Every structure is written in C-alpha cells, then in structure tokens.
Amino acid sequence: MPKRSEEMLAHLRTSLLLMWITCALHVSMAPFSNQSKSLQTGSGGPHEPADGQRVLSRAKRGWVWNQMFVLEEFSGPDPILVGRLHTDLDVGGKSIKYVLAGEGAGTIFAINEKTGDIHAMKRLDREEKAEYTLTAQVINRETNEPMEPPSEFTIKVQDINDNAPEFNNGPYHATVPEMSPVGTSVTKVTATDADDPVYGNSARLVYSILEGQPYFSIDPNSADIKVALQAMDREMREEYLVVIQAKDMGGHMGGLSGTTTVTITLTDINDNPPKFSKNLYEFTIPEDLGIGKAGGKVKANDRDVGENGRSTYNIIEGNERDIFEITTDPQTQEGMLRLKKRLDFESQKFFTLKVEATNVRPNPQLDSASQFKDTATVKIVVEDCDEPPVFSRSTYLLNVHENATVNTVIGQVGARDPDITGSQVRYFIDRHTDLERQFNINVEDGKITLAKPLDRETEMWHNITVTATEVNARFFSSHRENPSIPQKKNHSQISRAIIAIRVLDINDNAPEFATEFEAFLCENGKPGQVIQTVSAIDRDDPQNGHSFLYSLVPEMLNNPNFTIKNNGDNSISILAKHDTFRRQKQEMYYLPIIVTDNGNPPMSSTNTLTIRVCGCSREGIVQSCNVEAYVLPIGLSMGALIAILACIILLLVIVVLFVTLRRHKNEPLIIKDDEDVRENIIRYDDEGGGEEDTEAFDIATLQNPDGVNGYLPRKDMKPDLQFMPRQGQNSGPNGVDVDEFINVRLHEADNDPTAPPYDSIQIYGYEGRGSIAGSLSSLETASSESDQNYDYLREWGPRFRRLGELYSVGESDVET
C-alpha cells in the first residue's frame, strides 16, 4: 500500500503540473481576440434610412470566452482560478458587475463581481460530476439592470489517474476438464476503471498473472485465461488458485492496479480404469443360504469420481449352472455375490468364478476399451448344513369319496433327508389347518387316513399342511428296540407341504323344491290355466348334470282339481282342471309332488305345494285371498276395522293422560319435611301400657341434645338471625316439673324470631315417673269411675283447674 500511495502521489503531481500549464495558457488568452465594437444604433447619422424604411441592425455580443477547464482533486491552500470573464463594456469603470448563476454557482464556483475571475472553492471529483453548466451576465452595479444578455458556458473537470482498476465480479470460480490441451480457454475476467477513458491512459488496462504459473496464462488485453500446461491430471491436483492483476496507464510505471483471484477446478474425465483390490477372493457359503442373499462381496476401485467411477460386475467364467449372480451396490460400488439357486453340499462342494469389473461410461477418446476393465478370481467353498427334509412335491392333490369309511387311506406323502447322514423322517399334520381333526397321518410312512366321515355338500375341499421332521438315526434305532426311549427330533429343521383333498360326490341327497312355493288360484280362472311353475334342486353334483322326474303321489294320481305338465327343463307346471273353485267352499288346497333324480341309486322326496283360492279381477289380477268379504258386514273391510281399532286405542290413551294430569294436580305443591314432627301426624295402632308404662317413652326425647342448653333449631326453615334463648331448666329423670317445662318451651316459641308466621303445635305425651298427679289415662285402671278423685287437678295450677272442675262436676252428677 505505501508503494501504491507513492505512485498515485507522483502521478497526481505530474497531472497537476500539466493542468496548471494549460490553465495558464487559457488565462493569458482571456482578454479575448475579438475586441470588435457593437454596432451603433440611433438617429442623425450619415447612414440614416429614408422615411418609411425600417432599420434592421444585428446586435453583436460584446464579450466572449472559450470553454473552461479545472483539474480534479486539486487541494491547494487557495481557491484555484478556473478562468476570467471580460466584456467590451468594461473600460475600467465601476458601474459594471459580473454575476454568475447555474450549477454550483456560489457554492462550488465563485466569481469576482469586479474583475470577472472565476475560482473553484472545493475539491472536484470527475467521477462524481464531469462538467458544470453556468450562466454569466453583466449588470449595472447601481441599478442592477442587465447591460447585456446572459450567456451560458461550461466548466469541465479534467481527469487525473486517481482510481485503481476494480474487479466487480470477483473472486471468480471456473472449471476445466483435466487433460485439456494447451490453449484451452478456462474463463474470462473483467476489470473496470472509473477514470476518463478518453483523456490520457488513466483507464487503459493491462492484465497479468501474479500467481498460477506455469499452469495457466492470461491475455493482457482480453483477460482470457487459458490452460498453459499439458496433461494436467485431476487425480494429482484438483484445484488451483490463480491471482490476476489489472493495471492502468497501459501497464506503465506509475499506473494503479487491482487484483482478484480465480479458483480453477479440474473436472473429472474417465481416464482411470477400475482395479480390484486383490486378485483372489475366497468365500465360505453355507448351503442353506437363502436365494437372493449375499454370500460375499468384491470391490474394484476407480480413481475417477461420479459416473466416471461407477463400475458394473459380471461373472464371465465358472457359473455354468447359473447358481450365482453379482450386482453393484449403488452406495458402496461393491460387487455383491448373491444366490440365484440353492446350494447343495452333497452335489457340489466348490466353485471357482472369474469376475470382471467394467466402467459404466468408457472414455471414447481412448483407443481400446479393454483399458477400462479388470478381472479377479473368486473361490467359493460350500459349507455343509443340517438341511430340513425335502418333500417329493411341494403340493399334493388327493381325492376321496364322501361315503369313505373311517381309517380309509386317501393318499401318501414322502420326504427325504438331503444330508449325507440320511436321517429318518417323521410326518405330522399341522392341526391349525385341521381343527376338526378329520384326517390322520402315519408318522413313519406318511399315509393319510380318514378320521371322520366327510360330506361333500358341507365342504368340498380340505386343505391341510403336513410337516416333515428329521429324527436322529441313533435315537431312532434305540426307540425301535425300546419304545420307551423318546425319539430326538430336530425341531428347527421342518419342512411343510400343502395337501389339497377333494371330496368326490355320491348320490346321497334327494332333490327338493327350489323354494317354498305358494300358488294362487283365481276363482274365475279357466280350466287348463297354469297356476304355478315348480322347479327342484339337488345338493349332489352328478357328472352328467341333474335330471328330475316329477309325479303326483299314488293316491292322488286321479286328482279332480289339478294336474302337472313337464316343461322339459327340469321344471313342471301346475294346471287347474276346472273353474268352480270358491273360497266359501275351500280356501286352500295341498298338492303333494314326488321329485326323483337320476342318480344311482335314485333318490326322491315328497314336497307339498300349497294352493290358495283368491278373488281376482277380470284381468286375472289377485285382489284378495281371505274370506273376510263373506264374514264381515257389507261395506266394512279389514282396513275399516283397523281404523276403528286405532281410534279406540287413541281414546284410551287420552283418558289415561287426563286421569294422570288430574291426579298430579291434586298433589300438594309444598313437600313437607318428614323429619319435622310438628308438621306430621304419625299413627300408631298399638296400645300403651297405662300408668305404669313409663319405659316406653323417655322425656329425654323431648329434651333434644341440641336444645339442652336452651336452643333448639327449627327444621322447617333456615333462620336469618341467630337466637340465643335463655338457659333452660334441667330436670332430673325422677323429678320432672312438667309445668315449668311447658312454660319454658312456650316462652321459647313465643320469643323465637326465626319461627314461621303460622302456629306450631307441639305435643308432649309424657307422664313423669313418680308424678304426684299420677296417670291421666283411664285405660286398664284398677278402680272404677266412682273411685276416681280428680280434686288433685286443681292443685296443678291454673292450666289444669278447668280440667279439674269438669271432672269434679261429672263426679258429682254420678253421685246424685
């Protein structure tokens, strides 16, 4: 950076010197070469026109100047002189005043109103504004009136080399195929310079490479980057960083420069063949490996990338029986060796394969395609395994007649142990496929027998699964000698076979009507009219199809009412013999028909056809098959009876609703609390024990525990105020003052502010124990009425005085 600053400063000094000389030349020419006078106009002169003639004269400008220039980036201590304005009217008087207007007047440019000198007051930048348009005018200093018309001129800012080249789109990235010949174009860069391209060499650029040689070169004028080195290999080096310089002033000393970087990446071409990591591969594959499973993998490496590095694998030798195949893993590019057929250790124990790897996209520029192949040898050892038994067939088809007896042999399956040991095989039926246990199998020879009778009409096909399991030969021989020794079975080695059992048909089902036929016969029908067409079905399935024979039962061969007609398609038509059928006489007829098939032996059944006599229209359309028209009154049909019955039911429902509403209306609206003894009357049908029955009721019941201390809450309403009654008198169990007790309760009721507005009747039916008054009851008394003395009632107080007087009066009347 310091070096670059020094170059810019030297270049600036040179440019300023040149511009100063130019400005000095312009200023020296400022008095203008044209000093001609304006044409004089007026009257009384020798050239005065004749009367009536108009004098035309051309006003000639009295002051002119050339285009002015100012150097950019000038920053001296004083304002720089741009130029001077002068007019012929300026003869040294003080009445002339120069005025400047337009772009930058008064701010960037200032004029001396007396001398006409124009100065630049600020640093100017051509890259911001290249020229300014201004207007000059001469006015009278005293009257400010123009003395000449205004004149427009231009001040141009002269350029200096103050801007370095710039790469606006950098840094750059480019690609070129590897192995490209010398001179192959890679990319092109472009730099810009803000300086004036017209004036001087400030914007003339020259390009060069600072870093990246000898691999790449650049054209100094067009900036086209090209390959400069032969056989550049991506596998050796993939990326290059190239530094490009752009320098102005045509690349000469003192010019400014700018740099950028270009990252060039070599793209891959298919110039490398696949190569196996080793020449020989060895694998051990168990013979029970499933088809499609991988038994090994090989890998051919390719230094190329992408599609150029993809390879395919093929088996070119050793796979004559087409047992193996090799595929390419798209992720790892490995060759996966898989089975197309099952291996058999007993048949072949070793395999030797030759595998070839080939590029998917060979390079057409190379002469021989063999350069993009490689081969390797693969040796495979088959490992012996304990294989499950092998059935002679995977599926079996067996036939059995449905009348076959139990334990009938319906077929046999067979399986063998493919291993060298040749173990014994045992057979079993998978009971999940024979839930009803209709079949059995001999575990030793595989014969399938019938365990239950079969019915083809119930189920025609039976599909069961038979399993075969190896039994260890040593244990099998021991089991034969001593059956108590259990056989040792290898349950992991089980084979299965599907047995399809078809039940063959025999003629064991009699034919029957296809449906429950019901025929309708019109009263006004004609003799010979077809009443009903009848067909039959047979659950059996004869080979030649069904053929049915229809006949009436022997006792009805001469039926006077009906006859049958064979239609030739295993169906018959029922015909009427006369037209005198009447519902009043007989409403229904039953016609038994015998249906016989063509089986061996033939089977038959008797089916009854119901024929109903109906009333029909003239067109023969059935209207009514009941006798209601003859039982019901004239004009009253079954529909009318149903309507009458519906009306009666509706009336009964209305009456029940009315009674229910009346009963609901008579119920009281207020439901009283059953716990409030003051609001309920409880009836007891038992009789008290008299005076001495003091144990049946205790006064403590009246003395509620909540009211012992004086306050007994009401149950029929929620009190708004808390009432604290006086402390009541506690009476002992043997000495109860009834009068005082009643007075206290009466006082509490009268002074309770929470009591309802209605009267509250409290009943106290208690006789105190040991009361001096004795019992008030006259039931079961030992004395007669004449022996009673009621004078003691007067001693009880004023409340019982009236009662005593009444009894005293009654007693005196008896005595008299």
Side-chain angles (χ1 to χ4, degrees):
M1 289 301 294
K3 181 179 180 181
R4 183 177 179 182
S5 300
E6 291 178 358
E7 293 177 356
M8 291 181 62
L9 184 59
H11 182 69
L12 181 61
R13 290 174 179 173
T14 305
S15 300
L16 289 176
L17 181 59
L18 293 174
M19 293 302 299
W20 181 259
I21 296 172
T22 304
C23 291
L25 292 175
H26 283 300
V27 171
S28 62
M29 295 173 65
F32 310 108
S33 59
N34 189 0
Q35 300 290 337
S36 60
K37 302 288 183 178
S38 301
L39 295 177
Q40 302 293 329
T41 61
S43 60
H47 302 286
E48 194 175 62
D51 293 342
Q53 293 182 355
R54 183 180 179 183
V55 179
L56 297 177
S57 60
R58 182 174 61 88
K60 186 179 181 182
R61 185 177 300 277
W63 55 300
V64 294
W65 59 89
N66 294 328
Q67 192 178 37
M68 297 184 180
F69 297 89
V70 60
L71 194 65
E72 69 168 335
E73 302 295 344
F74 181 80
S75 57
D78 297 325
I80 183 174
L81 178 63
V82 178
R84 176 178 294 174
L85 300 180
H86 186 73
T87 179
D88 294 343
L89 300 177
D90 187 3
V91 293
K94 298 181 179 180
S95 61
I96 292 177
K97 179 180 179 181
Y98 293 94
V99 178
L100 188 65
E103 295 178 341
T107 57
I108 299 176
F109 302 102
I111 189 171
N112 190 320
E113 60 183 16
K114 295 181 178 180
T115 62
D117 294 339
I118 299 175
H119 293 82
M121 309 300 294
K122 297 181 179 179
R123 289 181 58 182
L124 300 179
D125 189 357
R126 192 201 65 84
E127 287 71 34
E128 291 183 3
K129 191 171 178 62
E131 63 180 26
Y132 297 85
T133 301
L134 295 97
T135 301
Q137 191 175 19
V138 178
I139 63 174
N140 191 297
R141 182 181 298 275
E142 297 177 355
T143 61
N144 288 330
E145 292 187 5
M147 299 178 66
E148 285 186 359
S151 182
E152 186 178 83
F153 66 98
T154 301
I155 299 179
K156 290 188 175 182
V157 181
Q158 283 189 329
D159 182 50
I160 64 172
N161 190 20
D162 59 341
N163 292 280
E166 294 182 357
F167 292 91
N168 297 324
N169 298 325
Y172 296 86
H173 295 271
T175 59
V176 64
E178 62 174 334
M179 301 295 177
S180 296
V182 175
T184 301
S185 178
V186 178
T187 187
K188 184 177 182 179
V189 297
T190 301
T192 59
D193 195 323
D195 293 326
D196 190 356
V198 178
Y199 180 77
N201 295 327
S202 298
R204 182 167 173 265
L205 304 180
V206 175
Y207 298 91
S208 62
I209 292 181
L210 299 182
E211 295 181 15
Q213 294 175 336
Y215 307 103
F216 301 96
S217 62
I218 189 171
D219 188 284
N221 297 319
S222 64
D224 189 9
I225 301 175
K226 299 180 181 179
V227 175
L229 186 63
Q230 184 72 25
M232 296 177 64
D233 192 359
R234 185 200 66 85
E235 286 73 29
M236 299 298 296
R237 182 177 177 182
E238 184 177 5
E239 190 174 271
Y240 296 85
L241 184 65
V242 180
V243 180
I244 305 297
Q245 182 189 55
K247 189 174 183 180
D248 59 12
M249 297 298 292
H252 295 92
M253 184 176 296
L256 303 179
S257 64
T259 60
T260 188
T261 59
V262 182
T263 302
I264 301 176
T265 303
L266 299 182
T267 57
D268 184 58
I269 63 172
N270 192 10
D271 58 340
N272 292 280
K275 183 69 176 176
F276 282 103
S277 57
K278 52 185 179 180
N279 296 325
L280 177 63
Y281 294 86
E282 295 180 347
F283 303 111
T284 299
I285 302 177
E287 63 174 337
D288 61 351
L289 184 66
I291 296 177
K293 300 294 184 180
K297 55 185 179 180
V298 298
K299 178 65 180 295
N301 299 314
D302 194 327
R303 297 177 63 189
D304 296 323
V305 294
E307 290 294 325
N308 297 323
R310 298 176 66 87
S311 301
T312 58
Y313 300 88
N314 296 288
I315 301 175
I316 57 178
E317 292 181 9
N319 193 30
E320 290 78 10
R321 295 170 56 188
D322 198 24
I323 297 177
F324 303 95
E325 67 176 352
I326 189 167
T327 59
T328 304
D329 189 325
Q331 302 296 328
T332 62
Q333 290 298 304
E334 294 176 324
M336 309 301 295
L337 190 65
R338 304 179 187 274
L339 292 182
K340 294 179 64 177
K341 298 178 181 179
R342 300 191 68 88
L343 296 175
D344 188 7
F345 175 81
E346 290 72 23
S347 301
Q348 187 172 354
K349 302 178 179 61
F350 304 98
F351 293 90
T352 300
L353 307 177
K354 188 174 183 180
V355 179
E356 180 184 66
T358 307
N359 271 148
V360 176
R361 295 174 57 183
N363 193 342
Q365 298 178 357
L366 299 179
D367 297 337
S368 176
S370 61
Q371 298 180 5
F372 293 91
K373 295 181 180 180
D374 193 21
T375 59
T377 302
V378 179
K379 290 187 176 181
I380 299 172
V381 178
V382 181
E383 183 181 17
D384 187 22
C385 297
D386 187 10
E387 299 178 87
V390 178
F391 280 95
S392 59
R393 286 181 291 173
S394 59
T395 59
Y396 293 82
L397 176 62
L398 305 179
N399 296 320
V400 58
H401 286 89
E402 59 179 330
N403 63 344
T405 60
V406 176
N407 295 326
T408 299
V409 177
I410 61 177
Q412 185 178 11
V413 297
R416 65 175 182 85
D417 182 12
D419 297 324
I420 297 178
T421 57
S423 300
Q424 295 293 328
V425 178
R426 291 293 172 264
Y427 304 94
F428 304 92
I429 293 178
D430 186 354
R431 291 303 176 183
H432 292 91
T433 61
D434 185 25
L435 297 177
E436 298 181 1
R437 295 182 175 270
Q438 294 178 307
F439 306 97
N440 291 326
I441 190 170
N442 190 306
V443 296
E444 295 184 0
D445 56 14
K447 291 182 178 180
I448 300 174
T449 58
L450 194 63
K452 292 181 180 180
L454 301 178
D455 185 8
R456 190 202 68 85
E457 288 71 34
T458 302
E459 190 171 1
M460 183 176 178
W461 286 92
H462 298 269
N463 294 318
I464 62 175
T465 300
V466 174
T467 61
T469 307
E470 294 180 6
V471 180
N472 189 287
R474 182 181 62 183
F475 283 89
F476 176 69
S477 60
S478 301
H479 175 74
R480 279 192 166 181
E481 296 175 0
N482 185 5
S484 61
I485 299 177
Q487 300 182 33
K488 184 176 181 182
K489 296 179 289 184
N490 188 355
H491 293 283
S492 62
Q493 300 297 335
I494 298 177
S495 297
R496 290 176 171 81
I498 298 175
I499 314 300
I501 302 174
R502 179 172 55 188
V503 182
L504 301 179
D505 183 50
I506 62 172
N507 192 25
D508 59 345
N509 292 279
E512 57 186 8
F513 280 173
T515 183
E516 292 291 335
F517 294 103
E518 185 177 9
F520 298 95
L521 174 63
C522 293
E523 289 180 318
N524 56 354
K526 298 179 181 180
Q529 181 180 358
V530 177
I531 301 173
Q532 181 69 44
T533 300
V534 176
S535 61
I537 58 173
D538 193 337
R539 298 175 62 189
D540 294 325
D541 187 17
Q543 294 182 354
N544 299 325
H546 293 288
S547 178
F548 301 122
L549 176 63
Y550 298 88
S551 63
L552 297 177
V553 294
E555 58 269 20
M556 297 191 68
L557 289 177
N558 296 321
N559 191 307
N561 299 316
F562 306 100
T563 183
I564 61 175
K565 175 186 176 184
N566 192 350
N567 296 327
D569 57 353
N570 283 337
S571 67
I572 59 172
S573 298
I574 310 300
L575 307 177
K577 285 187 174 182
H578 57 84
D579 58 354
T580 59
F581 296 97
R582 296 294 181 268
R583 282 178 288 175
Q584 301 91 331
K585 181 178 178 181
Q586 186 174 350
E587 182 183 1
M588 300 182 69
Y589 293 87
Y590 300 97
L591 183 63
I593 301 175
I594 300 175
V595 185
T596 306
D597 61 16
N598 60 339
N600 186 19
M603 302 288 292
S604 63
S605 67
T606 302
N607 300 265
T608 302
L609 176 64
T610 302
I611 302 174
R612 187 184 296 272
V613 181
C614 303
C616 302
S617 63
R618 294 180 179 180
E619 292 79 12
I621 300 175
V622 177
Q623 292 182 340
S624 175
C625 296
N626 299 325
V627 295
E628 59 182 15
Y630 302 94
V631 177
L632 299 176
I634 298 176
L636 189 60
S637 63
M638 181 61 70
L641 285 178
I642 295 174
I644 293 173
L645 183 60
C647 293
I648 293 174
I649 294 174
L650 180 61
L651 290 175
L652 289 176
V653 171
I654 294 174
V655 170
V656 171
L657 290 176
F658 180 75
V659 173
T660 303
L661 292 175
R662 286 291 302 273
R663 184 174 298 175
H664 180 70
K665 184 176 182 182
N666 293 334
E667 293 180 358
L669 298 177
I670 300 177
I671 300 177
K672 299 181 180 179
D673 190 358
D674 294 340
E675 297 181 0
D676 193 353
V677 298
R678 298 171 298 174
E679 304 298 334
N680 296 277
I681 299 176
I682 303 175
R683 296 180 180 179
Y684 300 93
D685 295 334
D686 54 349
E687 191 174 308
E691 297 175 353
E692 299 302 327
D693 187 10
T694 59
E695 299 296 334
F697 190 81
D698 191 1
I699 190 65
T701 303
L702 300 177
Q703 296 174 348
N704 191 306
D706 295 333
V708 171
N709 295 327
Y711 177 66
L712 184 63
R714 298 294 298 270
K715 296 183 179 180
D716 55 346
M717 66 177 293
K718 182 178 179 181
D720 296 331
L721 301 174
Q722 294 294 334
F723 173 66
M724 298 300 292
R726 296 179 296 174
Q727 180 71 24
Q729 182 179 356
N730 296 331
S731 300
N734 296 325
V736 179
D737 189 349
V738 178
D739 183 64
E740 181 64 19
F741 179 80
I742 292 175
N743 289 332
V744 171
R745 290 294 181 264
L746 181 60
H747 180 75
E748 290 177 359
D750 294 338
N751 294 280
D752 186 4
T754 63
Y758 49 83
D759 293 336
S760 178
I761 301 175
Q762 302 187 22
I763 302 173
Y764 302 95
Y766 172 77
E767 295 181 7
R769 180 179 301 174
S771 174
I772 58 175
S775 177
L776 295 178
S777 176
S778 61
L779 300 176
E780 297 183 2
T781 180
S783 60
S784 63
E785 293 181 358
S786 60
D787 296 334
Q788 295 293 334
N789 185 5
Y790 299 100
D791 292 338
Y792 61 86
L793 293 175
R794 300 176 182 177
E795 299 176 1
W796 281 11
R799 295 182 180 275
F800 295 91
R801 185 175 303 160
R802 180 58 179 168
L803 185 60
E805 292 176 356
L806 293 175
Y807 276 87
S808 297
V809 173
E811 183 179 359
S812 62
D813 294 339
V814 172
E815 291 179 355
T816 58

